Amino acid sequence: MLFGDPLPELDADTGYRGPVACRAADITYRQLDYWARTGLVEPSIRGAHGSGSQRLYSFRDILVLKIVKRLLDTGVSLQQIRQAVSHLHSRGVDDLASMTLMSDGASVYECTSADEVIDLVQGGQGVFGIAVGRVWREVEGSLSTLPVEHADAPAVVDELAARRAAKRQAG
C-alpha cells in the first residue's frame, strides 16, 4: 500500500489503553504520555481528564505512533517529525495513516505519487520509505492478543486517584 490505497474501515468505538498502545507501537509509556501532552499524537477516542483517567487510542492512533517510532529509529529528530506533522495538519491532513512518508534522515516528505519518489531518489540522496500497509499488519498482529475497550464503557479511574480526589474534597 503506497499511493491512495484505501485502508480498511475500523470500528470507531474500539480503543486501547495507553499500556496496550505502547506495547503495540513498541514505545515507552513516557514517550506516549509526552507525545499526547505535546499534541504530536493524541488519543482520538478518549483523552485524559485529570489524574487517574485513562486515555483510549484508536487503531489508527497506534498506527501513527508506530510510524513516528520508525522515523525516530531511522534518525529523524522528533523536532523534524513534529514539524512534518504540524505542516500536514495545517494543510488539512488529519489522517497520517493514509499517506506515504519518506525521509532522507533529516527531513520528512509526503509522497502522493511514484513520480515524487523518483524525484527524491534522483536528487542524489539516500531515502527510505515507510510502507503503511506493512506497519498496519504489524500493529494488527500485535493488538490481536491484547485487551480492547469500547468507548461507551465507563472510564475506569484507579483507586489511588479516587482516594486522592476524596481527600481533596474533604480537606
Side-chain angles (χ1 to χ4, degrees):
M1 172 169 48
L2 276 179
F3 304 107
D5 291 345
L7 296 174
E9 289 298 316
L10 298 170
D11 179 3
D13 293 330
T14 300
Y16 305 89
R17 288 188 182 186
V20 173
C22 289
R23 285 178 54 189
D26 194 27
I27 60 173
T28 66
Y29 193 82
R30 178 172 274 192
Q31 285 174 307
L32 180 77
D33 183 55
Y34 179 72
W35 295 349
R37 285 186 293 107
T38 60
L40 180 62
V41 182
E42 297 176 278
S44 60
I45 295 180
R46 184 172 61 218
H49 303 289
S51 176
S53 64
Q54 296 285 323
R55 293 183 184 109
L56 209 54
Y57 289 85
S58 71
F59 181 90
R60 286 181 190 259
D61 296 336
I62 296 171
L63 183 62
V64 173
L65 288 167
K66 185 125 181 140
I67 290 168
V68 169
K69 169 73 162 116
R70 288 265 171 93
L71 289 168
L72 283 171
D73 287 348
T74 55
V76 179
S77 73
L78 189 58
Q79 180 181 7
Q80 285 288 340
I81 294 168
R82 192 174 297 283
Q83 287 175 350
V85 169
S86 175
H87 173 72
L88 292 169
H89 283 306
S90 72
R91 288 190 32 231
V93 177
D94 291 323
D95 190 3
L96 300 179
S98 67
M99 61 183 46
T100 298
L101 299 176
M102 303 208 67
S103 177
D104 58 7
S107 297
V108 179
Y109 308 96
E110 171 197 7
C111 293
T112 56
S113 72
D115 293 337
E116 288 181 343
V117 175
I118 291 168
D119 287 345
L120 281 176
V121 173
Q122 286 180 344
Q125 58 205 48
V127 296
F128 66 89
I130 296 176
V132 176
R134 183 171 180 205
V135 178
W136 180 284
R137 286 186 293 282
E138 287 177 18
V139 171
E140 242 177 0
S142 297
L143 290 174
S144 66
T145 60
L146 297 173
V148 65
E149 288 195 24
H150 293 281
D152 56 359
V156 177
V157 177
D158 66 63
E159 186 179 338
L160 181 58
R163 285 184 193 173
R164 286 180 181 153
K167 191 173 184 179
R168 277 193 297 267
Q169 287 178 343

